[in-house]
Amino acid sequence: MKLATITTALALTLSGAVQASPLPDFPFINVTGAAKLEVAPDKARIQFVIRQTADKADAATEAVYKQGRDLMQFLAKQGITEADIDAAQINKEALFKDYNNRAITGYEASQPIMVTLNQLTNYVAVMDYLFKQPQIFSISGSFDSSQREQYEQQLSEKAGADARRRANSLAAAQGVKISSVFAISEASGWGAMAGDFGFGGGSVSYGAMRKADMAESSSSNLIVPKHIQLEKSVNVIYKLKP
């Protein structure tokens, strides 16, 4: 009796595994379409960390406070509002002599900050300021377009058209034709096909670089991209005509 119960349970488990297969049970073809578009960036996001070490915790923390106040004053002069500034909570860590000796030798206070520039006219000035501050580290910038949503819609349509072209070509080589669309997804791999349809982010890569228009200043060595490249890919499953 116990053996029969185990056998029945095993049969049900195997049946469920077969039913859960993500592969369609009809003739199909799966292709990936892609599209790229170069656009001029008009906004940027700059991330960095204010960090200071000192013998005492209050000295390290106060140094971060002061750098933050100076930063806010500078950004205000650049026309950057508080709404464009995101700051994490200040973090404080103890510094030890070494791994084995846990005697505290000092303290480090830090605060990650992200600044959004809605225009690139002040990008060079902001980056130049950040690079020259002794208590600001891990500076990185990325560029974007305020019209990203519209561009991504165009890319989605072009990627979809590319997928259909590839499917028609591949099917014709096998002497068959495609029928209707069964599934669309940006995710790769069969496992995600069933639950991840639609369009999302899209990647950004940098195009050709150009110097900023500030040749009389030392900050002219800073560069901004002439364009950024937006990309979109889409996976499509087409049914094949019998």
Side-chain angles (χ1 to χ4, degrees):
M1 185 68 177
K2 186 178 295 185
L3 177 61
T5 302
I6 295 175
T7 304
T8 302
L10 178 61
L12 290 174
T13 301
L14 292 175
S15 175
V18 172
Q19 292 178 358
S21 173
L23 293 175
D25 59 356
F26 51 79
F28 70 93
I29 186 172
N30 174 238
V31 294
T32 299
K36 299 180 180 180
L37 182 65
E38 293 183 349
V39 301
D42 59 9
K43 61 187 301 184
R45 183 174 290 108
I46 302 174
Q47 295 176 294
F48 54 91
V49 178
I50 299 176
R51 183 184 300 117
Q52 179 62 38
T53 59
D55 293 337
K56 296 183 177 180
D58 57 348
T61 304
E62 182 55 39
V64 172
Y65 288 158
K66 182 180 183 306
Q67 182 68 77
R69 291 192 296 268
D70 293 344
L71 174 69
M72 294 296 289
Q73 292 177 4
F74 170 79
L75 293 177
K77 293 179 181 179
Q78 296 296 317
I80 300 170
T81 66
E82 291 188 13
D84 299 321
I85 304 171
D86 290 321
Q89 182 67 40
I90 291 179
N91 183 52
K92 185 195 73 174
E93 298 287 348
L95 302 177
F96 303 97
K97 186 173 182 179
D98 55 45
Y99 182 79
N100 295 316
N101 188 339
R102 305 306 286 173
I104 296 177
T105 59
Y107 296 87
E108 177 184 275
S110 61
Q111 183 176 34
I113 295 178
M114 182 174 68
V115 177
T116 299
L117 303 181
N118 293 310
Q119 55 182 1
L120 295 182
T121 54
N122 52 9
Y123 173 80
V124 171
V126 172
M127 290 294 278
D128 185 58
Y129 172 86
L130 296 176
F131 280 123
K132 292 178 179 179
Q133 298 305 303
Q135 297 168 352
I136 294 180
F137 302 90
S138 305
I139 306 167
S140 64
S142 60
F143 299 86
D144 206 346
S145 170
S146 58
Q147 301 182 51
R148 169 181 282 274
E149 186 174 345
Q150 296 91 314
Y151 288 137
E152 287 197 336
Q153 180 60 38
Q154 297 176 25
L155 288 170
S156 295
E157 294 172 359
K158 290 182 179 180
D162 183 55
R164 178 170 288 275
R165 179 188 62 79
R166 291 171 183 269
N168 280 323
S169 177
L170 189 58
Q174 302 301 318
V176 295
K177 294 183 179 181
I178 64 173
S179 177
S180 59
V181 174
F182 172 72
I184 304 173
S185 174
E186 283 189 326
S188 59
W190 294 110
M193 277 290 183
D196 189 14
F197 300 134
F199 293 92
S203 62
V204 176
S205 59
Y206 296 115
M209 310 297 282
R210 59 179 171 83
K211 284 189 176 182
D213 299 328
M214 296 181 65
E216 72 284 357
S217 169
S218 61
S219 59
S220 62
N221 291 326
L222 293 171
I223 52 180
V224 297
K226 186 176 182 180
H227 65 263
I228 56 176
Q229 182 170 274
L230 304 181
E231 301 178 353
K232 178 75 71 173
S233 62
V234 57
N235 293 324
V236 185
I237 293 180
Y238 291 96
K239 291 183 177 180
L240 293 176
K241 292 182 179 179

